[in-house]
């Protein structure tokens, strides 16, 4: 054999050996498993986008949910929370969810009315006397009907989250009687029922994204707005309003929604763990929201920046009467007997 062939054979033998046993010494022993690397590769990431501050009921619930999911799935599912509309505003988030760019959102019920008019039912003025009445509707026929509407849109509803009741604010004068609303312009969430609620009082409305409300009040583009104490407090809306009425006239809740194909592709045991974390978060949030509103209302009062009026029973009754025409306007638009169901639940509670 010529020396050159011998040399080639030697190199070839070396290469084959290296491929079989590896290039590094000691590799005939199995490699220790790198759990962190395996975890990272297998980890399911859920991007959760919302528009409010981190220290609101929704912001805190999103973080609470993320840590429960991490714990219950052994870090196999990671919830990445994007607050303050940093990824999407309420106008773009549902489309982004459908496209699968993000996997979870929690829009207000008013925003959900863009998807299906059945959601208007939750915007009806004075529909619910308290949170228990809301829970009864959402845990029953009303909630089931609402979640059926999202299934048709390639989305899946996981829970209803609560931000409690809305209060009225204005820069012009105190809002005590229905006539006080006349000729004022109010910022509303994008919902025709809310527009009709104000037009029943002789007021105009502009629908603007949440993160523009402060500027619109400050620049006088609108005279007033309605929102929950936590949204008014965390966005400092009380600093650009002169008068607030504790009216509890409308409810602000959220539908927590996931992209349906994504949800169905998730391994069942992880889906169950996420559902469990969601149920625990929803219950936790109910308590948190109540405590937070009490504390933040105190802070607003203590600031002395805004004059606060609490509606008396009589005044409340007059507001209800003035806003009642909205029910007939939307009964058939909402459909499915949902308005009747709300009325039935309300009568039963009152009796
Ligand atoms: C709004 O007024 O737009 C807010 O209700 C938004 C939110 O998600 O709470």
């Amino acid at each position: 054999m010529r020396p050159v062939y011998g040399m080639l054979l030697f190199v070839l033998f070396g290469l084959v050996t290296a491929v079989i046993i590896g290039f590094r010494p000691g590799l005939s022993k199995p490699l220790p498993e790198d759990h962190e690397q395996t975890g990272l590769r297998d980890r399911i990431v859920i991007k959760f986008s919302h528009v409010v501050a981190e220290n609101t009921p929704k912001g805190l619930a999103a973080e609470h949910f993320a840590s429960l999911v991490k714990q219950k799935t052994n870090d196999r599912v990671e919830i990445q929370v994007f607050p303050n509309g940093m990824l999407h505003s309420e106008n773009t988030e549902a489309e982004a969810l459908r496209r699968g760019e993000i996997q979870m959102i929690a829009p207000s019920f008013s925003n959900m009315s863009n998807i299906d008019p059945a959601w208007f039912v939750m915007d009806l003025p004075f529909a619910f006397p308290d949170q228990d009445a809301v829970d009864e509707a959402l845990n029953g026929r009303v909630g089931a009907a609402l979640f059926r509407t999202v299934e048709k849109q390639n989305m899946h509803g996981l829970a209803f989250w609560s931000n409690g009741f809305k209060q009225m604010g204005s820069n012009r004068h105190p809002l005590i009687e229905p006539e006080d609303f006349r000729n004022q312009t109010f910022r509303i969430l994008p919902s025709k029922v809310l527009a009709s609620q104000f037009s029943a009082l002789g007021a105009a409305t502009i629908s603007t994204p949440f993160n523009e409300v402060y500027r619109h009040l400050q620049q006088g583009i609108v005279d007033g707005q309605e929102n929950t104490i936590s949204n008014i407090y965390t966005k400092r809306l009380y600093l650009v309003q002169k008068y607030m009425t504790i009216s509890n006239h409308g409810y602000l809740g959220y539908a927590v929604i996931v992209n349906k194909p994504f949800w169905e592709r998730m391994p069942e045991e992880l889906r169950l763990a996420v559902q469990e974390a969601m149920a625990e978060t929803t219950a936790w949030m109910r308590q948190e929201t109540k405590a937070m509103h009490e504390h933040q209302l105190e802070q607003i009062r203590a600031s002395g920046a805004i004059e606060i009026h609490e509606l008396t029973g009589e005044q409340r009754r007059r507001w209800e009467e003035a806003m009642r025409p909205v029910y007939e306007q939307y009964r058939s638009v909402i459909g499915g007997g949902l308005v009747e169901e709300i009325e039935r639940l309300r009568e039963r509670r009152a009796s």
Side-chain angles (χ1 to χ4, degrees):
M1 190 189 283
R2 293 216 212 133
V4 65
Y5 289 133
M7 190 83 112
L8 272 176
L9 259 178
F10 179 74
V11 169
L12 199 63
F13 178 75
L15 277 174
V16 169
T17 315
V19 166
I20 292 170
I21 66 163
F23 285 91
R24 295 208 326 249
L27 280 194
S28 48
K29 282 190 266 153
L31 264 175
E33 273 186 59
D34 184 345
H35 287 290
E36 191 150 5
Q37 283 305 317
T38 312
L40 278 180
R41 212 175 33 242
D42 291 348
R43 188 181 287 167
I44 294 174
V45 173
I46 296 181
K47 289 190 179 148
F48 185 172
S49 170
H50 70 80
V51 300
V52 292
E54 283 153 298
N55 57 340
T56 55
K58 182 160 61 180
L60 291 173
E63 290 300 340
H64 187 82
F65 171 65
S67 73
L68 281 182
V69 166
K70 180 181 166 78
Q71 188 189 312
K72 284 179 191 289
T73 63
N74 235 340
D75 219 3
R76 285 178 62 203
V77 177
E78 183 190 0
I79 309 288
Q80 292 177 353
V81 183
F82 298 90
N84 283 314
M86 62 196 275
L87 220 50
H88 281 283
S89 82
E90 49 273 72
N91 296 335
T92 58
E93 64 184 12
E95 248 339 284
L97 184 86
R98 275 205 202 97
R99 286 197 303 271
E101 226 172 280
I102 50 180
Q103 291 73 36
M104 188 174 283
I105 56 175
S108 66
F109 295 155
S110 312
N111 276 295
M112 293 301 290
S113 65
N114 285 327
I115 289 174
D116 195 288
W119 291 86
F120 283 142
V121 75
M122 299 305 292
D123 277 341
L124 287 171
F126 296 104
F128 308 100
D130 52 32
Q131 182 64 48
D132 285 348
V134 175
D135 291 346
E136 190 180 10
L138 292 177
N139 294 332
R141 214 165 77 68
V142 175
L146 295 178
F147 270 165
R148 271 199 301 279
T149 68
V150 300
E151 293 291 327
K152 292 184 218 146
Q153 305 284 337
N154 234 8
M155 302 174 182
H156 176 71
L158 284 185
F160 297 110
W161 279 1
S162 146
N163 191 345
F165 288 85
K166 288 184 280 187
Q167 321 301 344
M168 286 285 191
S170 167
N171 270 327
R172 292 254 210 110
H173 45 244
L175 301 167
I176 297 170
E177 295 295 336
E179 299 75 61
D180 297 330
F181 287 81
R182 240 176 247 157
N183 302 325
Q184 295 200 48
T185 302
F186 287 81
R187 178 270 171 175
I188 52 164
L189 277 144
S191 155
K192 287 188 189 143
V193 165
L194 298 179
S196 298
Q197 165 193 283
F198 283 102
S199 67
L201 301 171
T205 51
I206 300 179
S207 154
T208 40
F210 181 57
N211 286 302
E212 304 264 309
V213 183
Y214 183 94
R215 190 173 61 80
H216 281 202
L217 283 166
Q218 193 182 37
Q219 296 177 353
I221 296 169
V222 292
D223 301 306
Q225 58 84 43
E226 53 167 17
N227 224 313
T228 59
I229 292 295
S230 65
N231 281 344
I232 291 169
Y233 179 75
T234 56
K235 288 291 169 189
R236 304 285 183 259
L237 302 183
Y238 65 98
L239 297 179
V240 282
Q241 297 246 260
K242 292 201 186 91
Y243 309 99
M244 176 163 77
T245 302
I246 304 298
S247 50
N248 295 315
H249 63 281
Y251 182 73
L252 177 60
Y254 308 112
V256 188
I257 291 183
V258 278
N259 173 293
K260 194 170 165 189
F262 170 84
W263 180 248
E264 286 170 351
R265 273 199 310 273
M266 249 171 95
E268 196 184 356
E269 88 263 22
L270 294 182
R271 245 187 355 236
L272 288 175
V274 171
Q275 262 165 344
E276 200 178 287
M278 183 57 75
E280 284 176 28
T281 303
T282 304
W284 174 87
M285 187 189 190
R286 290 267 188 283
Q287 301 307 317
E288 260 325 276
T289 302
K290 194 166 173 292
M292 187 184 301
H293 281 164
E294 280 163 13
H295 172 70
Q296 292 176 341
L297 179 56
E298 275 322 303
Q299 301 286 108
I300 294 176
R301 268 190 221 284
S303 77
I306 190 166
E307 194 179 306
I308 302 176
H309 172 75
E310 296 211 17
L311 274 194
T312 64
E314 246 328 281
Q315 289 158 354
R316 184 181 162 94
R317 204 190 49 71
R318 285 199 286 274
W319 282 39
E320 274 193 68
E321 213 167 280
M323 294 178 184
R324 192 158 307 139
V326 179
Y327 280 70
E328 289 326 309
Q329 268 173 278
Y330 287 90
R331 195 177 289 277
S332 63
V333 177
I334 293 169
L338 295 185
V339 178
E340 290 76 4
E341 177 70 1
I342 295 283
E343 288 170 333
R344 201 181 56 76
L345 293 176
R346 200 173 45 199
E347 270 159 35
R348 220 191 52 211
R349 282 191 168 260
S351 62

